[in-house]
Amino acid sequence: MPMPPVPNASLIIRGLLLLIVAAGVYFFRGFLVPVLAALIIGFASWPLYRRGVRACGGSTTLAASLALVIVVVVLIVPLTLALHYALQEASTLVTWLLEVNRNGAPPPRWIEALPWIGGTLATYWREHLGEPHALGDWVQILSGQHIGNIYRMVLSATGDVFNLALTVLFMLITLFFVYKDGAHIADQLDAVGERILPLQWQRFSRVVPATVSATVTGLGLIAVGEGLVLGVAYWIAGVPSPVLLGVVTGFMALIPGGAPLSFTLVSLYLVGSGHLWAGVGLFAWGAIELFIVDKTLRPRLVGGPVKLPFLPTFFGLVGGVKTMGIVGLFVGPVLMALLVAIWREWVHSMRQPSPLVLPPETEPPREP
């Protein structure tokens, strides 16, 4: 009686490995956000970290510890303070909106004082927002949420400090080991990648770090810088809630055209509220700062292989925020940039003509 065929052992091993990886992703999915954030920061700061290793005499443990302290002082502490004050101002703003929704409100004077469009906007305000509960109806139409739900979301964001602190702690721990053992991890990834993609891995392994670094620098650092500079300008110009508006401007700077839209609207508010020169000065300062960033800083800092157009950037931002919260503002565009880079490299490799390899019996004879 013939023996039944023996299953392929390599297929069984691969199937078991896939099951183990899937189980690990399922059980440790709660750590996905801090791990991705640590990897992105590590990729973006890796060239500077290598200089730190050389300055520390080759000690990766000491260099990783110093790099972690720098990340905390330069990145974590300022962003935490900015978000804290921004959420406090947002809570005050939502409280005012609840009062306006309860009783209705006449159009503000600064809207009526806007040149050319002030009268039309004031008329629309009286028709659609002047009555009680009209603001809540518009908020529900635009966002799908009641204004009370938005207020509770703001309160939960201000009170959920413990989970945010744990996420930051796990991110810092992961970042330490990314710095300390990053070279060994990269060697192991190269060995696996060359086995899976023997022809494309060398190009992908060069494109991915450069893409992450360029995206984080082009989107993250420049957005933080624009939010800080314009937030200080809002405070000097006397705009209410300058920290909140600075944070919003920084987030808007992640989208192409978002920063000029933000400081233009704030400048129109100043002009309409009777502060003509403050509005003109703010607009001029924003235009000069944007010109300097786009013409000098951004080309030098970014210079990466992927320059995302508007639509992938927008999808990355929205998908990142819906999936990962605030961290998704940076993780989403980075993942989208990686997808675009991999797609372009794949198309590029397919368009390259493959070398013609002749069989041994048909190879032309070599000349002596």
Side-chain angles (χ1 to χ4, degrees):
M1 185 174 181
M3 295 289 293
V6 179
N8 194 341
S10 63
L11 291 179
I12 295 177
I13 294 174
R14 291 178 183 179
L16 290 175
L17 288 177
L18 288 177
L19 287 177
I20 293 173
V21 171
V25 171
Y26 175 77
F27 284 107
F28 298 106
R29 65 187 184 277
F31 297 96
L32 180 63
V33 172
V35 169
L36 285 177
L39 289 175
I40 289 173
I41 296 175
F43 269 122
S45 59
W46 190 256
L48 295 177
Y49 169 72
R50 296 306 301 170
R51 296 182 184 178
V53 172
R54 290 193 294 268
C56 294
S59 175
T60 56
T61 303
L62 178 59
S65 302
L66 293 177
L68 209 64
V69 172
I70 293 174
V71 168
V72 171
V73 173
V74 175
L75 187 64
I76 303 299
V77 173
L79 287 180
T80 302
L81 293 176
L83 288 176
H84 172 69
Y85 287 110
L87 288 175
Q88 282 187 342
E89 293 179 356
S91 177
T92 304
L93 177 62
V94 174
T95 304
W96 176 80
L97 291 176
L98 287 172
E99 184 66 24
V100 170
N101 181 62
R102 187 178 301 112
N103 302 318
R109 293 182 179 179
W110 66 270
I111 290 183
E112 295 179 336
L114 289 175
W116 301 300
I117 61 173
T120 304
L121 292 178
T123 301
Y124 279 114
W125 183 289
R126 293 188 185 94
E127 292 177 355
H128 301 287
L129 298 176
E131 299 297 327
H133 305 292
L135 179 61
D137 295 337
W138 278 104
V139 169
Q140 185 175 4
I141 291 173
L142 295 175
S143 66
Q145 296 284 340
H146 293 285
I147 193 170
N149 292 339
I150 297 177
Y151 181 62
R152 284 188 287 271
M153 288 172 57
V154 173
L155 290 181
S156 64
T158 56
D160 199 9
V161 179
F162 181 71
N163 289 334
L164 181 60
L166 280 181
T167 301
V168 173
L169 178 62
F170 291 146
M171 186 269 291
L172 292 175
I173 294 174
T174 306
L175 182 60
F176 174 80
F177 288 100
V178 168
Y179 282 140
K180 180 178 178 295
D181 302 321
H184 301 291
I185 296 173
D187 292 338
Q188 295 174 7
L189 289 177
D190 282 337
V192 175
E194 289 176 357
R195 174 64 66 89
I196 298 175
L197 299 172
L199 299 179
Q200 294 89 3
W201 179 253
Q202 289 298 324
R203 293 182 61 86
F204 287 164
S205 62
R206 292 194 301 268
V207 167
V208 169
T211 300
V212 173
S213 179
T215 306
V216 172
T217 305
L219 293 178
L221 294 183
I222 293 178
V224 170
E226 289 188 354
L228 178 62
V229 172
L230 290 174
V232 173
Y234 296 155
W235 175 69
I236 295 174
V239 180
S241 303
V243 178
L244 176 61
L245 290 176
V247 172
V248 171
T249 302
F251 288 157
M252 290 293 292
L254 296 171
I255 306 174
L261 176 64
S262 299
F263 70 74
T264 300
L265 292 177
V266 177
S267 301
L268 288 176
Y269 162 76
L270 288 173
V271 172
S273 59
H275 302 86
L276 175 62
W277 292 111
V280 173
L282 177 62
F283 182 82
W285 171 253
I288 294 172
E289 181 265 342
L290 192 66
F291 177 81
I292 294 174
V293 169
D294 287 341
K295 298 301 181 183
T296 60
L297 295 180
R298 194 185 299 271
R300 293 186 179 183
L301 291 176
V302 181
V306 173
K307 292 179 175 58
L308 282 179
F310 172 80
L311 196 59
T313 304
F314 181 75
F315 284 166
L317 287 171
V318 175
V321 171
K322 289 184 64 177
T323 306
M324 303 178 183
I326 294 177
V327 180
L329 285 170
F330 301 96
V331 176
V334 168
L335 294 179
M336 186 63 70
L338 288 178
L339 291 177
V340 173
I342 292 173
W343 173 259
R344 289 176 178 174
E345 288 298 319
W346 199 281
V347 172
H348 176 75
S349 63
M350 292 179 64
R351 288 177 177 174
Q352 294 295 322
S354 58
L356 181 60
V357 180
L358 298 176
E361 62 272 12
T362 60
E363 288 184 356
R366 298 181 181 179
E367 296 182 1

